[in-house]
Amino acid sequence: MRIRLDKYLADMGIGTRSEVKRYIQKGMVLVGDETIKKPEHKINTDSDAVCFQNQLVGYETEEYYLLNKPAGVVSATSDKKERTVLDLIESKKRKDLFPVGRLDKDTEGLLLITNDGDLCHRLLSPKKHVDKVYYAKVDGRVTEADVILFAKGVDIGEKELTKPGQLVIRKSGDISEIELTICEGKFHQVKRMFEAVQKKVIYLKRIRMGSLTLEETLPVGEYRKLTQEEIRSLKEC
Ligand code: URA
């Protein structure tokens, strides 16, 4: 792709369009080993080496991050009061990243952050039925009766029952531990499904979305780039 030098630098978060124009005109930008002072100079994003303050910039049209979302941050691109999931992605280059879907403020776990709108659409489209797997701690004894009900779909106050959910009981007790696989993404869906059987989710974490799994070694609040293989298989979901 060929784009203007000022756009290249602004896209990569070096500054606003007018800031990067000033940097270019001051001679702070090299393309190859040549100082370029014209903001409109055309760059080949695949082959040109652009350096700002002696650092290679590198161009990325798409970025993909897997965040292990901590509780206490909101799944938004910006917020006047709260810390957002994007604030946590410190190494991001692009300014057009967004979270793919939402997790509640108190939910932890797997959140994909990208600027790939097509992939986001695919993963969230109700027609695609992409599986989401959640681990939860539930106040109350989760039973086989709940497993059967969830498999049929439960009434969470919408026009229709939820689509079938696969409930696996990991531990049944006063506080139960479960894994639930659902293929929809209704507002507060997991919490509402348990409310429908008179139980309360007290901890919720997403551990899988389609082919993407949250590894246990990624600490809460940390993130990493997706591998090419992960991106490829998500696109096939
Ligand atoms: N279901 C919920 O209730 N909350 C989430 O954050 C995700 C799914």
Side-chain angles (χ1 to χ4, degrees), residues 15 29 43 48 72 75 79 87 99 132 140 146 152 164 169-170 199 205 218:
V29 180
I43 297 296
D48 281 332
S75 299
D79 193 283
D87 295 331
K132 269 85 61 178
D146 298 324
K152 289 184 185 150
I169 302 170
R170 296 280 174 227
K199 288 169 191 104
K205 176 181 188 173
L218 187 67

Side-chain angles (χ1 to χ4, degrees), residues 30-157:
L30 287 182
V31 178
D33 49 15
E34 206 184 330
T35 302
I36 300 291
K37 293 196 170 179
K38 288 197 170 130
E40 67 276 16
H41 180 90
K42 282 283 164 48
I43 297 296
N44 182 329
T45 55
D46 297 325
S47 56
D48 281 332
V50 177
C51 288
F52 172 66
Q53 294 183 321
N54 296 325
Q55 297 272 357
L56 189 62
V57 178
Y59 194 79
E60 301 202 32
T61 47
E62 272 123 15
E63 287 185 276
Y64 302 86
Y65 295 98
L66 187 169
L67 170 68
N68 187 353
K69 178 191 172 297
V73 294
V74 294
S75 299
T77 49
S78 66
D79 193 283
K80 288 211 178 88
K81 287 191 229 136
E82 311 273 5
R83 217 149 59 106
T84 74
V85 289
L86 279 178
D87 295 331
L88 302 177
I89 313 292
E90 285 172 354
S91 67
K92 63 182 179 292
K93 290 192 161 181
R94 302 201 55 104
K95 288 171 288 176
D96 52 358
L97 299 179
F98 51 83
V100 175
R102 284 170 185 271
L103 291 176
D104 298 337
K105 187 174 168 188
D106 60 355
T107 300
E108 291 185 355
L110 184 153
L111 192 61
L112 174 62
I113 313 264
T114 183
N115 60 326
D116 186 336
D118 286 347
L119 178 63
C120 173
H121 180 71
R122 245 165 207 281
L123 291 172
L124 299 184
S125 162
K127 288 187 198 137
K128 297 272 179 189
H129 302 303
V130 172
D131 279 348
K132 269 85 61 178
V133 185
Y134 293 88
Y135 163 85
K137 286 189 185 156
V138 178
D139 188 359
R141 189 171 293 272
V142 179
T143 64
E144 283 307 315
D146 298 324
V147 174
I148 293 166
L149 273 173
F150 277 29
K152 289 184 185 150
V154 287
D155 181 359
I156 58 168

Side-chain angles (χ1 to χ4, degrees), residues 156-204:
I156 58 168
E158 304 265 330
K159 276 195 209 125
E160 294 178 357
L161 298 184
T162 63
K163 296 233 158 25
Q166 288 78 53
L167 178 58
V168 177
I169 302 170
R170 296 280 174 227
K171 186 174 153 229
S172 183
D174 291 343
I175 304 286
S176 302
E177 292 179 37
I178 61 92
E179 269 178 37
L180 176 61
T181 304
I182 54 175
C183 63
E184 300 167 291
K186 299 229 160 68
F187 185 60
H188 295 331
Q189 180 155 347
V190 176
K191 292 173 185 165
R192 287 162 74 200
M193 287 175 81
F194 279 98
E195 275 162 22
V197 294
Q198 291 78 49
K199 288 169 191 104
K200 187 170 164 50
V201 171
I202 53 174
Y203 172 79
L204 186 60

Side-chain angles (χ1 to χ4, degrees), residues 199-236:
K199 288 169 191 104
K200 187 170 164 50
V201 171
I202 53 174
Y203 172 79
L204 186 60
K205 176 181 188 173
R206 182 157 63 192
I207 53 179
R208 185 163 74 76
M209 184 179 195
S211 57
L212 191 62
T213 302
L214 177 68
E215 61 270 36
E216 287 183 0
T217 49
L218 187 67
V220 179
E222 299 284 313
Y223 65 92
R224 66 167 175 84
K225 282 191 167 186
L226 260 58
T227 63
Q228 288 305 316
E229 176 56 28
E230 284 172 325
I231 297 167
R232 197 188 53 71
S233 39
L234 270 182
K235 287 182 177 175
E236 283 169 7

